[in-house]
Amino acid sequence: MTISLDRARDYVFSKGLPWERALFNWHFDDGPPETLHRCLLCYKNEDGGWGHGLELDLKAPVSHPAALEYLLSMLHYHEIPTGSLLDGTVAWLERQQGPDGELRNPDNLADWPIAHWWKDWGGQKAPDSIVGNLHALGLATPSLLNVTRHWAERNHSIESIRANDWLFMTYHAFDYFMSIDDFPRLAEFRQATLDHTLALAETLVPERHYTLFLFAPRPTSEVAQALPAATLARCLDHLATTQREDGGWVDEHDLAWWQPITTVNVLVALKRYGRL
């Protein structure tokens, strides 16, 4: 089936949030980044943190780490210029980080609709992905890097990296070790992270093929360069042939509220890899 950008546009604009529509418009219809910024800023609070359901499984308006983590992952994957988006955000994050490196979450996070897994976890407490992505943007402060390094020394090991069997969750180690530049045995941790990411990519079931490109956003990325061409082709072939009649793509959990952004993510991957 030929990919239809028109049907995808109809789907995202009928089902997606304003920022997801602005993101599609920026990527595929020459929409201005300023519109995307204005939409994203609706999720930012006066304290510099982020909330209001930006992370779709946590609807609390109050600032919490998972919303920032998700924002940073989207800024990275979509290469969105940050402009002034993150003004005040690093200072907010420093206030949420305890001396042990763990991130504090609002006590009332579960007063609003929340996915049961987040309710069980009490919000995002791990600082690794957030600080890694901030460092990649040149925004992580020495304090954040130092406290998070000590947290990572206690919470990450080569064995724990290899024990993870879900590619998506590799982002914790990947965003941190592939971005920071000061850690004991850093080269060994980077190699273990890369090797395990590649191994999990080889075993992906079809409904998870799109997650590979969160780690290989462009053909020139380290993961894409290291993967066998046949693995990349298999995943791209699947994405290129599974657009639904309504124009969207399914996410791995078949959750309707995640499918507009999944659709944009898939289209961006197909475009970057020359399939669109």
Side-chain angles (χ1 to χ4, degrees):
M1 181 185 295
T2 303
I3 299 166
S4 171
L5 196 59
D6 289 338
R7 285 192 290 121
R9 181 184 296 106
D10 288 347
Y11 178 75
V12 172
F13 273 73
S14 63
K15 303 294 186 181
L17 296 167
W19 87 267
E20 294 166 336
R21 302 198 296 266
L23 181 64
F24 183 102
N25 198 36
W26 178 60
H27 274 300
F28 300 106
D29 294 321
D30 297 321
E34 293 80 10
T35 300
L36 176 56
H37 278 202
R38 286 196 297 271
C39 290
L40 285 170
L41 284 170
C42 292
Y43 298 91
K44 190 176 184 182
N45 288 314
E46 291 185 3
D47 62 5
W50 297 75
H52 301 280
L54 179 58
E55 207 289 359
L56 297 171
D57 295 325
L58 295 125
K59 301 301 185 183
V62 294
S63 300
H64 59 89
L68 174 58
E69 182 180 76
Y70 180 61
L71 172 69
L72 291 172
S73 71
M74 289 295 97
L75 293 179
H76 172 75
Y77 178 72
H78 290 284
E79 301 173 2
I80 300 168
T82 57
S84 60
L85 276 178
L86 297 174
D87 287 0
T89 294
V90 174
W92 172 83
L93 183 64
E94 288 186 309
R95 295 193 296 272
Q96 311 314 308
Q97 191 168 38
D100 62 353
E102 191 170 277
L103 300 177
R104 303 184 186 95
N105 284 262
D107 293 335
N108 59 348
L109 196 63
D111 288 354
W112 291 272
I114 182 171
H116 67 82
W117 50 90
W118 281 118
K119 188 174 183 179
D120 293 342
W121 296 338
Q124 183 56 273
K125 300 175 183 178
D128 44 13
S129 172
I130 294 174
V131 174
N133 276 321
L134 284 174
H135 186 58
L137 291 170
L139 296 175
T141 63
S143 173
L144 282 174
L145 289 168
N146 183 55
V147 176
T148 302
R149 184 180 69 247
H150 293 307
W151 178 93
E153 288 175 8
R154 296 190 305 273
N155 289 274
H156 281 297
S157 66
I158 301 298
E159 293 73 23
S160 69
I161 290 170
R162 292 170 176 162
N164 168 50
D165 60 1
W166 182 11
L167 179 62
F168 174 76
M169 289 303 292
T170 304
Y171 82 90
H172 281 286
F174 192 93
D175 292 350
Y176 183 69
F177 290 114
M178 306 307 281
S179 298
I180 54 99
D181 47 27
D182 180 18
F183 195 82
R185 299 160 52 209
L186 178 58
E188 186 178 349
F189 274 85
R190 281 183 174 168
Q191 193 62 52
T193 300
L194 178 60
D195 289 347
H196 195 59
T197 301
L198 297 173
L200 290 176
E202 295 291 349
T203 64
L204 280 175
V205 294
E207 60 267 25
R208 292 182 174 179
H209 281 349
Y210 77 95
T211 63
L212 170 61
F213 299 97
L214 300 177
F215 302 93
R218 287 190 176 275
T220 53
S221 65
E222 190 169 4
V223 170
Q225 291 287 303
L227 274 172
T231 301
L232 277 173
R234 182 182 75 246
C235 293
L236 288 165
D237 288 347
H238 175 76
L239 297 183
T241 56
T242 52
Q243 184 180 26
R244 299 188 308 243
E245 284 297 324
D246 65 3
W249 274 263
V250 69
D251 75 292
E252 64 178 290
H253 299 297
D254 199 18
L255 298 173
W257 51 93
W258 280 107
Q259 291 173 20
I261 189 60
T262 298
T263 296
V264 181
N265 290 346
V266 168
L267 287 169
V268 168
L270 291 170
K271 180 180 179 181
R272 288 171 173 171
Y273 280 83
R275 297 295 193 97
L276 181 64

